Amino acid sequence: MSGFDDWLNRALEECARNAGEDVTTYVARAVASQMVADQRRTETIPVRELLDRLSQSGVLDSDAMPDVSTVVSDPERLRAVHRTGLLDSPRDAVYDRITRAAADALDVPFAALSLIDADRQFFVGTVGMGDMSDPQNRQTTLDQSICQYAVADRAPLVLEDARNDPVFKNHPVVRSGAVAAYLGIPLIDHAGHAVGTLCVFDDKPRLWGTGHIQLLTDLAQLAVERIFGPGPGPRA
């Protein structure tokens, strides 16, 4: 690499080998991670657009992630998503308050309440994710979504350091450095369909305890009741 002496170039080659990559890919991914980190601070370019472009370029390839498209594209689940009436809806202060409560309670910089559609992730409420007044900033392609995996499993997804997870270390937003820790609770309607998540995340590792999971689960239940109404009461 230009500017590196022989020792640094050998060290670079060794680091790339340990990551299972060639030097060009290793350097490109490192540059991509730095770009994402810088844009989070300056917000001169929307981070979601930057991640999309990096994925399209192949720098942040998602081919190594499990395929959950069969679950995500299930017609009954998608009908449940559309029945919420929240896709492409105006911002609702209630959902913003729920995401803000999640971020404050768990002391994290980022939180989102999202819906998983057939080919996109739509943000109903967010904290720390930039200007949401532009409708294009309120959605991402599914290859940028970790939440789709919580939806597919219909169970909490707990990642304390996704960079060391054998599966999620391959996810584009993890490879970019945008997400290290993630905690997501699926939003499940009264018929059992998971339509989205309430999640919190950080670009640094976090330790999630049972108290964190319970707290986020309680807030997710508030969102579910707001979206779908109270569930059926116990039978007499």
Side-chain angles (χ1 to χ4, degrees):
M1 181 173 175
S2 177
F4 276 25
D5 61 20
D6 290 344
W7 189 94
L8 287 172
N9 276 311
R10 286 196 300 272
L12 175 60
E13 290 169 0
E14 180 66 20
C15 288
R17 258 195 313 274
N18 290 339
E21 297 172 342
D22 57 57
V23 169
T24 300
T25 302
Y26 184 82
V27 171
R29 186 163 61 83
V31 171
S33 298
Q34 189 61 52
M35 288 174 68
V36 172
D38 289 345
Q39 292 311 314
R40 282 205 181 280
R41 289 192 295 269
T42 64
E43 295 189 0
T44 55
I45 302 172
V47 171
R48 279 166 298 285
E49 181 181 355
L50 178 58
L51 287 170
D52 284 343
R53 295 298 182 99
L54 288 170
S55 285
Q56 291 166 15
S57 74
V59 173
L60 303 177
D61 191 4
S62 60
D63 287 347
M65 291 299 298
D67 183 1
V68 294
S69 59
T70 300
V71 178
V72 168
S73 61
D74 175 72
E76 288 296 326
R77 194 198 73 82
L78 290 176
R79 277 193 282 273
V81 173
H82 286 262
R83 278 197 298 268
T84 67
L86 293 174
L87 288 172
D88 302 311
S89 64
R91 296 293 290 271
D92 185 320
V94 171
Y95 298 118
D96 281 338
R97 283 198 293 271
I98 291 173
T99 52
R100 190 162 56 247
D104 290 345
L106 278 72
D107 191 26
V108 292
F110 310 108
L113 194 154
S114 65
L115 297 177
I116 302 299
D117 201 1
D119 58 357
R120 60 173 175 157
Q121 174 174 250
F122 180 78
F123 298 112
V124 179
T126 63
V127 170
M129 296 174 61
D131 180 14
M132 289 289 140
S133 60
D134 182 349
Q136 287 303 311
N137 289 344
R138 295 187 64 194
Q139 61 185 15
T140 68
T141 54
L142 283 184
D143 66 333
Q144 300 298 317
S145 170
I146 292 181
C147 296
Q148 64 176 315
Y149 297 97
V151 165
D153 288 342
R154 298 177 62 256
L157 178 55
V158 183
L159 299 169
E160 295 186 336
D161 189 349
R163 300 169 302 180
N164 295 326
D165 184 272
V167 174
F168 284 92
K169 68 181 182 181
N170 299 308
H171 196 284
V173 298
V174 176
R175 291 171 67 108
S176 74
V179 175
Y182 172 94
L183 175 60
I185 306 296
L187 306 174
I188 300 177
D189 73 4
H190 303 318
H193 303 299
V195 299
T197 69
L198 176 64
C199 73
V200 294
F201 58 99
D202 201 337
D203 55 9
K204 301 177 181 60
R206 299 289 298 252
L207 294 176
W208 305 119
T210 55
H212 296 121
I213 298 170
Q214 185 59 59
L215 197 156
L216 195 62
T217 299
D218 290 344
L219 290 172
Q221 186 57 38
L222 290 177
V224 166
E225 291 176 2
R226 170 73 176 182
I227 297 169
F228 302 109
R235 294 181 180 179

